[in-house]
Amino acid sequence: MMVVTAHPDDEVGGPGGALCLRAPVAEAVRVWIATDGTRQEGVAPESAADYARRRREESAAAASILGLPAPEFAGLPDRGLAGRIEE
């Protein structure tokens, strides 16, 4: 089973319960998060790197609680996926 999301926390906010139920019976689960999660509204540019690190840590902690493997992060620019189709 593969889960692809745009931002850290998208993988648990909606489908987290379903993932938790399917993880024990799935042959493998892989969570892939496309963006770096830095461009949240209200986050100052000078705080973006710390904010993104915290979001990645929270996603990894949530995965552990749900019994999922740690997510993989592509680190593509948040709010910039439309212009990076090839990646």
Side-chain angles (χ1 to χ4, degrees), residues 26-85:
E27 185 175 315
V29 176
R30 184 173 174 194
V31 178
W32 188 82
I33 300 172
T35 70
D36 59 10
T38 58
R39 297 205 42 212
Q40 179 67 30
E41 290 179 27
V43 175
E46 60 273 8
S47 302
D50 286 337
Y51 180 76
R53 178 192 47 74
R54 193 168 57 247
R55 288 184 79 184
R56 288 189 302 271
E57 290 170 356
E58 290 169 352
S59 284
S64 177
I65 290 167
L66 294 172
L68 303 171
E72 298 175 43
F73 299 94
L76 297 171
D78 199 355
R79 300 187 186 201
L81 291 179
R84 303 178 81 113
I85 300 297

Side-chain angles (χ1 to χ4, degrees), residues 2-22:
M2 177 135 185
V3 179
V4 177
T5 69
H7 311 101
D9 78 14
D10 291 351
E11 77 285 8
V12 293
L19 289 171
C20 184
L21 292 173
R22 295 294 304 160

